[in-house]
């Protein structure tokens, strides 16, 4: 679905920043909403979705156990 979102877990990425989580969440929300930049009346919902997905992604990545 979002081919430009990079994999954020080892061995693909050893160090992942909050900015990486935000960028992935932003791309996801852009893709599913169909808006690159939402209209003013949709901005709050768009920003809230990005924040929620950023948090969920960080939580997911912090709990995954990767076998090497």
């Amino acid at each position: 679905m979002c081919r430009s979102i990079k994999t954020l877990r080892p061995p693909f990425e050893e160090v992942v920043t909050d900015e990486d989580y935000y960028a992935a969440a932003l791309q996801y929300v852009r893709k599913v909403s169909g808006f690159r930049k939402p209209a003013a009346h949709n901005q709050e919902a768009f920003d809230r979705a990005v924040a929620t997905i950023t948090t969920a992604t960080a939580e997911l990545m912090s709990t995954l156990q990767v076998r090497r």
Side-chain angles (χ1 to χ4, degrees), residues 27-38:
Q27 286 211 326
Y28 175 79
V29 172
R30 284 176 172 168
K31 183 68 169 189
V32 299
S33 71
F35 296 116
R36 176 157 168 50
K37 174 109 174 86

Side-chain angles (χ1 to χ4, degrees), residues 5-65:
I5 296 176
K6 66 181 182 176
T7 302
L8 298 177
R9 68 169 177 79
F12 302 99
E13 293 292 326
E14 290 299 324
V15 177
V16 181
T17 65
D18 291 340
E19 290 79 22
D20 293 324
Y21 294 135
Y22 176 83
L26 180 60
Q27 286 211 326
Y28 175 79
V29 172
R30 284 176 172 168
K31 183 68 169 189
V32 299
S33 71
F35 296 116
R36 176 157 168 50
K37 174 109 174 86
H41 63 275
N42 288 326
Q43 188 68 53
E44 184 180 341
F46 190 90
D47 292 343
R48 189 172 45 249
V50 171
T52 299
I53 294 168
T54 299
T55 300
T57 302
E59 181 181 330
L60 169 67
M61 299 311 292
S62 71
T63 58
L64 286 179
Q65 295 180 14

